[in-house]
Amino acid sequence: MEDLSETPRIVCYHQTHYHNGKFVSLLPLLSEKTDVTHVIIAAIHINGRDNITLNDNEYTDPKNEPLWEEVRTLQRAGIKVLGMLGGAHQGSFTALDGEIESFEAHYKILHELVIWTGLDGLDLDVEEAMSLAGMIRLIDRLKWDLGRDFLITLAPVATAMRGQQNLSGFEYEALEKAFSTNIAWYNTQFYCGWGCMETTADYEKIIARGWPAKKIVIGLVTNPANCAGWVPDDALRETLTALKKSYPDLGGVMGWEYFNSMTEADGEGTPWCWAKFMSKLLWSSNGGEES
C-alpha cells in the first residue's frame, strides 16, 4: 500500500495521446527532471460486455503501442501509472453498478485490461449516478484481485467533498468513512466552476469538514483552453505556497491535462514545464522563486 506520507504528489493526466497527428511523448517528464510522481492515462470506457476501449480505440490497438512502451519506461523510473475509468463519457459505472451477473461480465474486461497494461492503479472518475454499495463492491473487488499495493483514487468535483453539488450519486464522506484505507487519495477538481484556486478558501472549506490534507490532491487545469478556472502563475504560487505552509502534508496537485500544459513563463509547446513548476512550488522552501 502506498505510503501516504510521501506527499506532495505531482500528478499528470494524459488523455490526448496524439495532437495534430503527432504522438505526444511523456518521456520529457523524465528527461526534464520534473519530479512527477504519478501519471494517469485517460480514458478507459466500458461500452458493453465485450467492449472496453482507451478513448475511441481498443487498448491493444497498434496505435497505442508507443504509449504503453512509454508507460513501462515511466514505471521503471519509479513513476506510478494509473488508468482513468469513466469521466464525461458515461456508461462505465452504470455497467458496474448492476446485478451481480452484469457486474461480473463488465468487471471481467476491466480486470483483463489492467493485467494486460500492467497499470499500478485505477482512478475512478464517476460523472454519472452510481450507488455507494456499487462503488464499495468495485473497490473491494479491485483490491482483492490486484493486491493491497494496487492504487485506487477517485476524482470528485470540489463541491462534492463538502457535501454539496455532486456528479457521482453517492456521498464521498460516506465512502471515506466506510472504506478509507482502500482509497489512496482524491484528485479533487477545483475548476469548471466546481472550485477555485485563486485563493485558499475552497481547499480550506474541505479541510474544515474533517478531510485529511494528505488525501486531497488539488486538481487544476493546465491551460485556459481546457476548462474554466485556469489560474495565472503568480496567483497559483501564492495559493499553493500558503497551503503548503498551513498543511505540510498537503496531498499535492494534479493537472488536466498533459499535452497542452503551460505556464505563463513558458507558454505552450513544452508541457513538462507545468509539472516542473508545480514541483518547485510544492517541494522548495521559497515557493518556486529563483534564489
Side-chain angles (χ1 to χ4, degrees):
M1 186 174 295
E2 184 186 36
D3 182 1
L4 295 180
S5 67
E6 294 181 0
T7 57
R9 307 172 190 89
I10 310 295
V11 183
C12 290
Y13 277 82
H14 184 44
Q15 179 165 30
T16 303
H17 308 145
Y18 287 83
H19 182 58
N20 293 331
K22 184 179 179 181
F23 177 68
V24 179
S25 177
L26 291 164
L27 297 186
L29 291 172
L30 290 177
S31 61
E32 299 296 326
K33 298 180 172 59
T34 63
D35 293 325
V36 161
T37 60
H38 300 80
V39 170
I40 300 178
I41 304 298
I44 300 165
H45 304 305
I46 298 175
N47 308 301
R49 291 184 176 224
D50 297 308
N51 187 338
I52 186 169
T53 56
L54 180 66
N55 295 323
D56 297 327
N57 301 103
E58 294 184 8
Y59 60 92
T60 57
D61 191 297
K63 179 180 181 179
N64 291 320
E65 287 180 5
L67 173 67
W68 299 126
E69 289 177 7
E70 292 199 351
V71 163
R72 290 188 285 273
T73 299
L74 295 178
Q75 290 173 319
R76 286 194 295 268
I79 296 173
K80 298 293 186 181
V81 182
L82 295 79
M84 189 196 91
L85 176 66
H89 182 104
Q90 298 187 351
S92 297
F93 293 101
T94 300
L96 292 165
D97 197 26
E99 298 296 326
I100 186 64
E101 187 271 338
S102 176
F103 169 79
E104 291 291 347
H106 293 100
Y107 175 81
K108 177 178 180 290
I109 58 175
L110 176 63
H111 182 264
E112 289 172 351
L113 178 149
V114 171
I115 296 300
W116 190 91
T117 58
L119 291 168
D120 299 302
L122 282 177
D123 178 61
L124 308 178
D125 186 1
V126 189
E127 299 187 17
E128 58 187 299
M130 187 176 193
S131 68
L132 179 62
M135 179 52 64
I136 289 175
R137 177 176 65 181
L138 174 60
I139 295 173
D140 188 51
R141 183 64 174 274
L142 287 167
K143 298 294 276 191
W144 177 265
D145 287 346
L146 298 166
R148 294 182 61 197
D149 291 334
F150 188 78
L151 297 173
I152 300 293
T153 63
L154 286 95
V157 296
T159 50
M161 302 302 276
R162 46 183 215 257
Q164 298 177 349
Q165 295 97 323
N166 186 342
L167 299 178
S168 308
F170 58 86
E171 293 294 329
Y172 280 87
E173 290 175 335
L175 178 64
E176 176 71 4
K177 183 176 180 180
F179 238 45
S180 62
T181 58
N182 289 312
I183 299 168
W185 71 84
Y186 296 86
N187 294 302
T188 309
Q189 300 178 42
F190 287 88
Y191 47 82
C192 290
W194 302 110
C196 177
M197 274 292 113
E198 291 186 356
T199 72
T200 63
D202 282 349
Y203 190 89
E204 290 173 332
K205 290 175 184 176
I206 292 173
I207 302 305
R209 289 184 68 91
W211 287 97
K214 66 185 179 182
K215 294 193 77 169
I216 307 299
V217 170
I218 298 167
L220 303 165
V221 281
T222 60
N223 188 304
N226 294 352
C227 196
W230 183 79
V231 182
D233 293 4
D234 287 344
L236 191 55
R237 177 184 290 108
E238 184 175 345
T239 297
L240 292 180
T241 301
L243 287 175
K244 189 67 171 65
K245 183 177 180 179
S246 297
Y247 309 103
D249 60 345
L250 184 75
V253 296
M254 69 83 162
W256 181 270
E257 61 170 307
Y258 172 70
F259 88 101
N260 65 349
S261 298
M262 60 167 285
T263 67
E264 287 181 304
D266 298 293
E268 294 191 40
T270 55
W272 55 88
C273 289
W274 181 88
K276 204 166 189 176
F277 179 45
M278 293 300 104
S279 297
K280 288 181 178 178
L281 290 181
L282 294 181
W283 285 104
S284 70
S285 59
N286 60 358
E289 299 284 4
E290 296 294 336
S291 57

